[in-house]
Amino acid sequence: MAPSAWAVALAALCIVALAPPAAGFYLPGVAPNDFEKKDPLPVKVNKLTSIKTQLPYSYYSLPFCKPDTIVDSAENLGEVLRGDRIENSPYTFEMREPQMCQIVCKISVGEKEAKLLKEKIEDEYRVNMILDNLPLVVPIQRVDQEGAYFYQHGFHVGAKGKYSGSKDEKYFIHNHLSFTVKYHRDEQRDISRIVAFEVKPYSVKHEYEGQWNDKKTRLTTCDPHAQRIITSSESPQEVEVGKDIIFTYDVDFKESDIKWASRWDSYLLMTDDQIHWFSIVNSLMIVLFLSGMVAMIMLRTLYRDISKYNQLETQEEAQEETGWKLVHGDVFRPPSNSDWLCVYVGTGVQFFGMLLVTMVFAVLGFLSPSNRGGLMTAMLLLWVFMGLLAGYSSSRLYKLFKGSEWKNIALRTAFTFPGSVFAIFFFLNALIWGQKSSASLASRNLPLKIQ
């Protein structure tokens, strides 16, 4: 080895030896939080969602209990476009400190409030909450498997039902929430990490003794001193004009063997794990049948033309181009509207590049489900970066067609598809803004964060 090479190697070893120790890092949005006993656990509220309508609404658009000051959490671009509205809530927990029948507030229901609640109950809207970046879920026991559960994201605002002996349908609100926080404990350091956030909602018509004294009021329907807890909705709270609704909650803490790294596994399980083999086989058979039909038609046409060429007698007839021979003249001929073809090809390359890089990042674990809105944010940023490939590919194809206005083609590639999408988005945003949905950008005034 030459002396100069030895000197370079020695210098590299010295640099490595003198380098300060480096600490590991976590991906944004997925770093674990350690909690000691009695540490505060802030519960945040998110948008109201429904499977019957695609319009999300802010949690405080309904007459729920509010904290003294509503604070909006910083959201990334993907969360804003999804309609997320993450805010603080009056629900306060302390780590590994169970609470029973805690009063949140009492509200009086007027005509406007009753109408809003009934509309959301009719449309089956769900309330979404967040604790330590975990969404709130309702465990539902499976019918086909004993002891197995699947999880429903969020709990319903209320339910419709009838009193026994009555035919009139009534609306009932879920005003009592029984929370369960599961945690994984490190016995050596006596710290805990939250691995699950569950709830069982109930509708309870609360009653109390004496005069109302805010959170110090003693309820007769549930009493932590008398160990009287709520386990059913036998006496539900109806949504009526002029009536009061008392909101309460319980919180229980359970130690779990689930580790923090695996806490999302139960959330990502399918509610129906049965493989629909009939649908899969049916789709494959249709594809194979149609492909076979097209292949048979092409083979018959090609065979007929070849047989015709073999039967030609004179040289003049052999030189005459018919059938499939006519195709070779159109292979390198520029098609009509070749400029728009180049634009669409460039847009397709942009789409393919965006999807390919997104899937690579997802496989490598950079797009964690705990990072809400991360997928949409990554796709939008990659779409912008892939615009370089779109402009190059469209201009390159245009020059193959002997075109000279390649700069014009690059500009049309950059503005045609995004301009169309923006026009549609602007129109739809105006419609949902009129519905006062949280998905409307015009109704938001939130700080953005990039993760």
Side-chain angles (χ1 to χ4, degrees):
M1 185 179 290
S4 58
W6 281 106
V8 172
L10 183 61
L13 289 174
C14 293
I15 293 175
V16 172
L18 296 176
F25 68 94
Y26 291 97
L27 297 177
V30 295
N33 294 321
D34 298 329
F35 299 96
E36 298 181 354
K37 192 173 183 179
K38 293 188 177 181
D39 279 352
L41 301 177
V43 178
K44 297 182 180 181
V45 294
N46 202 350
K47 60 186 177 182
L48 304 175
T49 56
S50 172
I51 59 174
K52 296 181 65 175
T53 174
Q54 299 300 318
L55 293 179
Y57 289 91
S58 171
Y59 175 83
Y60 293 114
S61 63
L62 291 182
F64 290 136
C65 301
K66 299 180 181 179
D68 296 333
T69 303
I70 299 178
V71 180
D72 295 321
S73 299
E75 300 175 356
N76 57 42
L77 183 60
E79 289 176 312
V80 172
L81 294 178
R82 290 184 349 145
D84 288 346
R85 182 67 66 89
I86 303 175
E87 299 160 312
N88 61 328
S89 75
Y91 296 94
T92 55
F93 305 158
E94 290 183 354
M95 190 64 189
R96 287 157 42 194
E97 289 291 327
Q99 302 176 24
M100 185 183 299
C101 200
Q102 298 294 310
I103 298 176
V104 185
C105 74
K106 181 182 73 169
I107 65 168
S108 298
V109 180
E111 293 185 1
K112 181 180 178 181
E113 290 80 6
K115 180 181 178 182
L116 287 173
L117 288 173
K118 290 179 179 180
E119 288 178 351
K120 297 302 182 289
I121 295 174
E122 180 71 30
D123 291 334
E124 298 182 6
Y125 270 88
R126 300 176 185 175
V127 177
N128 296 281
M129 295 184 176
I130 300 171
L131 177 63
D132 190 33
N133 213 26
L134 272 181
L136 179 67
V137 295
V138 178
I140 301 175
Q141 188 170 2
R142 301 182 67 97
V143 180
D144 54 345
Q145 299 179 15
E146 185 177 356
Y149 293 87
F150 68 91
Y151 297 93
Q152 168 190 291
H153 286 270
F155 64 92
H156 288 96
V157 175
K160 295 188 296 182
K162 301 176 182 179
Y163 290 111
S164 59
S166 175
K167 297 183 179 179
D168 297 332
E169 197 168 43
K170 303 292 183 180
Y171 294 86
F172 304 98
I173 185 173
H174 289 142
N175 61 325
H176 179 82
L177 304 177
S178 182
F179 295 104
T180 300
V181 179
K182 296 182 179 180
Y183 63 92
H184 184 77
R185 184 181 177 185
D186 186 350
E187 297 181 357
Q188 296 180 352
R189 297 188 296 167
D190 195 27
I191 59 173
S192 304
R193 292 179 177 177
I194 297 175
V195 295
F197 185 35
E198 302 175 358
V199 69
K200 291 183 179 179
Y202 300 99
S203 180
V204 181
K205 188 176 182 180
H206 284 298
E207 298 178 356
Y208 56 90
E209 298 176 349
Q211 295 182 349
W212 177 256
N213 191 18
D214 203 24
K215 295 184 180 181
K216 297 181 181 180
T217 306
R218 187 162 183 174
L219 301 176
T220 58
T221 47
C222 67
D223 190 354
H225 303 287
Q227 296 295 317
R228 189 183 300 118
I229 62 176
I230 296 174
T231 58
S232 64
S233 301
E234 295 180 355
S235 179
Q237 175 65 58
E238 184 182 348
V239 178
E240 291 183 283
V241 178
K243 298 293 184 179
D244 295 333
I245 300 177
I246 300 175
F247 289 88
T248 57
Y249 71 93
D250 302 332
V251 57
D252 188 23
F253 292 86
K254 294 183 179 180
E255 189 171 355
S256 174
D257 295 331
I258 301 175
K259 294 185 178 181
W260 184 89
S262 305
R263 66 177 187 168
W264 278 91
D265 292 352
S266 58
Y267 287 80
L268 301 178
L269 288 176
M270 296 174 58
T271 56
D272 184 11
D273 56 0
Q274 295 181 357
I275 302 176
H276 299 279
W277 290 110
F278 179 77
S279 300
I280 296 175
V281 174
N282 186 39
S283 301
L284 290 176
M285 292 300 295
I286 292 176
V287 171
L288 292 175
F289 178 73
L290 293 178
S291 301
M293 287 185 59
V294 173
M296 288 180 60
I297 294 173
M298 293 183 66
L299 286 175
R300 291 186 61 183
T301 305
L302 183 60
Y303 179 77
R304 186 174 62 250
D305 289 345
I306 293 175
S307 300
K308 185 177 180 181
Y309 300 151
N310 293 333
Q311 295 174 0
L312 296 177
E313 298 179 355
T314 63
Q315 185 176 3
E316 290 78 7
E317 291 177 346
Q319 292 179 351
E320 183 180 356
E321 296 180 350
T322 59
W324 283 87
K325 288 186 177 182
L326 295 174
V327 178
H328 81 276
D330 294 327
V331 172
F332 298 104
R333 183 181 301 167
S336 58
N337 298 321
S338 60
D339 49 350
W340 285 110
L341 174 63
C342 298
V343 171
Y344 296 148
V345 169
T347 303
V349 170
Q350 191 173 7
F351 262 115
F352 179 76
M354 176 195 67
L355 294 176
L356 179 63
V357 178
T358 301
M359 287 190 293
V360 170
F361 276 110
V363 170
L364 294 177
F366 286 93
L367 301 177
S368 170
S370 61
N371 185 14
R372 286 179 307 277
L375 176 62
M376 186 172 293
T377 303
M379 292 182 69
L380 289 175
L381 293 178
L382 288 173
W383 170 263
V384 175
F385 293 146
M386 291 300 164
L388 298 175
L389 295 179
Y392 172 78
S393 57
S394 61
S395 301
R396 183 69 178 172
L397 181 61
Y398 185 70
K399 295 187 74 173
L400 287 177
F401 292 151
K402 308 301 181 181
S404 59
E405 299 293 334
W406 62 270
K407 295 181 180 180
N408 184 23
I409 296 299
L411 289 176
R412 286 162 68 175
T413 305
F415 289 103
T416 300
F417 181 77
S420 304
V421 172
F422 177 78
I424 297 173
F425 177 80
F426 183 81
F427 175 74
L428 295 178
N429 188 75
L431 294 180
I432 61 179
W433 178 56
Q435 296 294 326
K436 298 180 180 180
S437 172
S438 63
S440 171
L441 298 182
S443 63
R444 307 178 73 91
N445 186 21
L446 300 177
L448 287 178
K449 63 179 179 181
I450 300 296
Q451 290 186 347

